[in-house]
Amino acid sequence: MGDHKEQPLRVGAAVRRRRRALELTLAVVAARSGLSVPFLSQIENDRARPSTGSLEKVADALRTTAVELLAAADPACSVDVVRADGIEPQPQPRTRSLVRGHHQMHASEFTGDHDAGREFQYRNDQLMYVADGAVEIEAEGRAYRLGRGDTLYLTGGVRHRWRATESDTRVVVVAVAEHIEAVRDRPRR
């Protein structure tokens, strides 16, 4: 009762809309992502469900994030409960969206490690909270070590990368949505 419909997210339409907004062909997205044109077509037509890694490759090719594509895939809700008890066991690493729909805020839970060499830079502000384990975050030329219960705030535009330093690490990332312009251009002097 009150829970969002328990259906798998269908990200195909969101991928197609983003690709068309950028005026890209499937062939260009395939070349940028390293995925095949037939597989991308199957994703867009919801005949294939991409893995987290494949979705990140598609998102990178479309100059967005997997979280943004997932958010655009589901209709907005004013009240939504995302339950933890229905999660199927998956091999580590795992990413789980904590907010569904197209909202002003996004939150994701990362379990385990991910591509530690991947650099992130978001237009808007972001907060990282270590729920379990420990991480090392590199931002603006400095390394920060965070343990359970620690948070790190990043202003929009800060390039950063992070990695888990303990097994079974869980990091919650909360961010102002990319489609919301939270950072205004500062006048140049």
Side-chain angles (χ1 to χ4, degrees):
M1 183 163 106
D3 287 11
H4 194 71
K5 293 177 185 174
E6 296 300 324
Q7 297 178 23
L9 288 177
R10 299 176 69 160
V11 73
V15 170
R16 184 182 308 108
R17 280 191 304 272
R18 178 68 181 179
R19 178 179 62 80
R20 287 180 177 168
L22 295 173
E23 299 179 354
L24 300 175
T25 64
L26 281 173
V28 170
V29 176
R32 287 182 180 179
S33 66
L35 302 172
S36 71
V37 170
F39 181 59
L40 291 170
S41 177
Q42 288 178 340
I43 291 171
E44 284 194 1
N45 292 300
D46 288 317
R47 289 192 300 258
R49 250 178 101 185
S51 67
T52 301
S54 292
L55 187 59
E56 286 178 355
K57 288 178 183 180
V58 171
D60 287 346
L62 295 174
R63 297 186 185 108
T64 189
T65 64
V67 171
E68 283 292 321
L69 290 174
L70 289 169
D74 210 17
C77 299
S78 59
V79 176
D80 190 20
V81 176
V82 179
R83 301 220 182 261
D85 56 344
I87 300 172
E88 296 177 25
Q90 296 177 359
Q92 304 257 357
R94 184 183 79 219
T95 303
R96 179 172 74 104
S97 181
L98 303 175
V99 176
R100 294 183 282 214
H102 201 62
H103 299 288
Q104 294 181 17
M105 180 190 75
H106 291 292
S108 297
E109 176 186 65
F110 296 89
T111 304
D113 210 349
H114 68 287
D115 181 3
R118 183 172 180 209
E119 185 174 73
F120 298 92
Q121 181 181 26
Y122 297 104
R123 180 180 306 149
N124 298 327
D125 297 356
Q126 178 179 8
L127 177 81
M128 298 179 78
Y129 170 74
V130 181
D132 286 309
V135 297
E136 185 173 273
I137 301 168
E138 182 184 316
E140 302 212 321
R142 292 187 58 196
Y144 301 89
R145 287 181 173 74
L146 279 73
R148 185 171 187 247
D150 292 342
T151 61
L152 179 87
Y153 176 84
L154 297 163
T155 301
V158 173
R159 291 181 185 275
H160 62 283
R161 67 184 81 212
W162 65 274
R163 67 182 184 90
T165 57
E166 294 180 10
S167 61
D168 297 327
T169 292
R170 285 188 317 126
V171 176
V172 175
V173 177
V174 180
V176 175
E178 286 291 310
H179 67 278
I180 304 296
E181 288 289 337
V183 176
R184 291 185 168 80
D185 289 332
R186 294 179 180 94
R188 293 183 185 195
R189 295 181 184 190

